Amino acid sequence: MIFLNKGLKHFFYKKKIYLFNIIKYINYNNFYLNFFFKNIQVKTISKGKGFQGVVKRWNFRTKDKSHGCSISYRTMGSTGQCQDPGRVMKGKKMPGHMGNKCFSIYVNFFIRKNNYFFLKKILPGKKNDFLIVKII
């Protein structure tokens, strides 16, 4: 089934703030949601960030801006050992493309009002993105 991500909304209830992600059932589907269900699986694509360095992508610490380091304070440093392995190990955290990946999230608590669903989990992606929802 195809849904639309309508963004976040906060509600005040008994002096507490509750944050809900709102998704809307749209009419591209061929059947009506006139039955009861408890668990859903939501598939969505996260926001793409483009090519990012190691500080933003892997939360590396930066070097000091002072003490002789002028330009290269956001670099990753050494990538490996010396002559013994003679290569970079697999899985080394390096700069690269960040985001734009498919995620699936299981939701077992939601509030339903007509065609709108209020999820207690935060979904990755932008507002008005299409979501693929599977009833479990």
Side-chain angles (χ1 to χ4, degrees), residues 14-31:
K14 291 187 179 177
K15 297 182 181 179
K16 287 186 181 179
I17 297 177
Y18 292 96
L19 192 64
F20 286 106
N21 208 106
I22 303 172
I23 63 174
K24 181 184 178 187
Y25 183 71
I26 55 179
N27 295 332
Y28 292 153
N29 308 296
N30 294 331
F31 59 94

Side-chain angles (χ1 to χ4, degrees), residues 6-135:
K6 298 307 276 182
L8 294 171
K9 181 85 172 150
H10 63 276
F11 297 97
F12 292 99
Y13 180 70
K14 291 187 179 177
K15 297 182 181 179
K16 287 186 181 179
I17 297 177
Y18 292 96
L19 192 64
F20 286 106
N21 208 106
I22 303 172
I23 63 174
K24 181 184 178 187
Y25 183 71
I26 55 179
N27 295 332
Y28 292 153
N29 308 296
N30 294 331
F31 59 94
Y32 295 101
L33 291 177
N34 54 4
F35 52 90
F36 178 75
F37 50 91
K38 286 170 50 175
N39 300 329
I40 57 175
Q41 176 191 8
V42 181
K43 277 190 178 180
T44 180
I45 297 174
S46 66
K47 284 185 186 177
K49 308 281 189 199
F51 193 92
Q52 296 298 326
V54 290
V55 176
K56 182 170 183 173
R57 190 175 184 208
W58 300 110
N59 297 323
F60 279 19
R61 279 179 276 155
T62 58
K63 300 175 188 172
D64 291 337
K65 277 189 172 181
S66 59
H67 302 292
C69 185
S70 59
I71 298 172
S72 60
Y73 67 95
R74 288 180 69 93
T75 59
M76 62 187 290
S78 175
T79 57
Q81 297 80 18
C82 195
Q83 187 181 357
D84 186 22
R87 61 190 171 88
V88 178
M89 297 294 180
K90 281 187 178 172
K92 176 72 179 145
K93 293 180 178 177
M94 289 184 146
H97 192 274
M98 184 176 170
N100 202 21
K101 292 183 180 172
C102 187
F103 285 94
S104 75
I105 297 169
Y106 292 94
V107 180
N108 56 4
F109 177 77
F110 55 88
I111 301 168
R112 178 177 170 187
K113 254 197 146 163
N114 296 336
N115 283 343
Y116 289 94
F117 289 75
F118 298 90
L119 310 179
K120 204 152 183 196
K121 292 195 175 180
I122 306 300
L123 298 177
K126 299 183 281 218
K127 200 172 179 183
N128 293 324
D129 264 356
F130 288 108
L131 309 171
I132 298 172
V133 176
K134 190 193 301 186
I135 297 171

